[in-house]
Amino acid sequence: QVEVVESGGGLVQPGGSLRLSCAASGTRVRIQNMGWYRQAPGKQRDLVAFIAPAGGTNVAESLRTRFFITRDNAKNTVYLQMNNLKPEDTAVYFCVVYAGTSRSGFSEYWGQGTQVTVSS
């Protein structure tokens, strides 16, 4: 079992920045890709960004100039730096971690979500 805990959400004014963190913990598992999705009210959950263990990233094209994903493998933690935030970035942000073992296989583990509200 893998526990995924997000932090760093909150209320920010348009043009401001936030950094989300997501820490994964588990016994005898290997953490593979880590990433973020977001879901605005009444909308589907959309991909924000992913990062592989070696650091390769995939960020949604519309967000690449403002959102940056990094990770600290020693801490099994992924970060999402969000700059120049806009009201349309308001959503619940979910962290997802792919983890497991070669024997048991790999699964997705989701956090509970953290609310980001961009408003003046």
Side-chain angles (χ1 to χ4, degrees):
Q1 188 66 21
V2 176
E3 183 180 19
V4 178
V5 179
E6 302 115 330
S7 61
L11 173 65
V12 63
Q13 292 186 344
S17 297
L18 278 178
R19 189 175 84 153
L20 305 182
S21 300
C22 169
S25 60
T27 303
R28 298 177 184 174
V29 294
R30 189 162 75 246
I31 307 294
Q32 296 285 51
N33 287 356
M34 306 177 80
W36 295 92
Y37 280 75
R38 69 183 183 182
Q39 187 167 22
K43 296 188 177 181
Q44 66 181 19
R45 191 173 295 188
D46 291 327
L47 171 69
V48 174
F50 260 90
I51 185 166
T57 63
N58 178 21
V59 180
E61 187 171 358
S62 63
L63 301 176
R64 287 176 186 170
T65 61
R66 300 187 295 119
F67 286 25
F68 303 93
I69 187 170
T70 58
R71 67 189 282 169
D72 183 336
N73 290 333
K75 297 180 179 179
N76 287 333
T77 299
V78 61
Y79 306 97
L80 183 68
Q81 178 67 42
M82 305 183 293
N83 300 326
N84 189 22
L85 283 160
K86 304 176 181 182
E88 52 263 40
D89 296 316
T90 295
V92 178
Y93 285 70
F94 295 91
C95 178
V96 61
V97 173
Y98 294 89
T101 67
S102 299
R103 170 173 291 186
S104 63
F106 288 79
S107 300
E108 292 181 357
Y109 296 90
W110 290 84
Q112 78 286 354
T114 185
Q115 176 70 47
V116 172
T117 302
V118 184
S119 175
S120 55

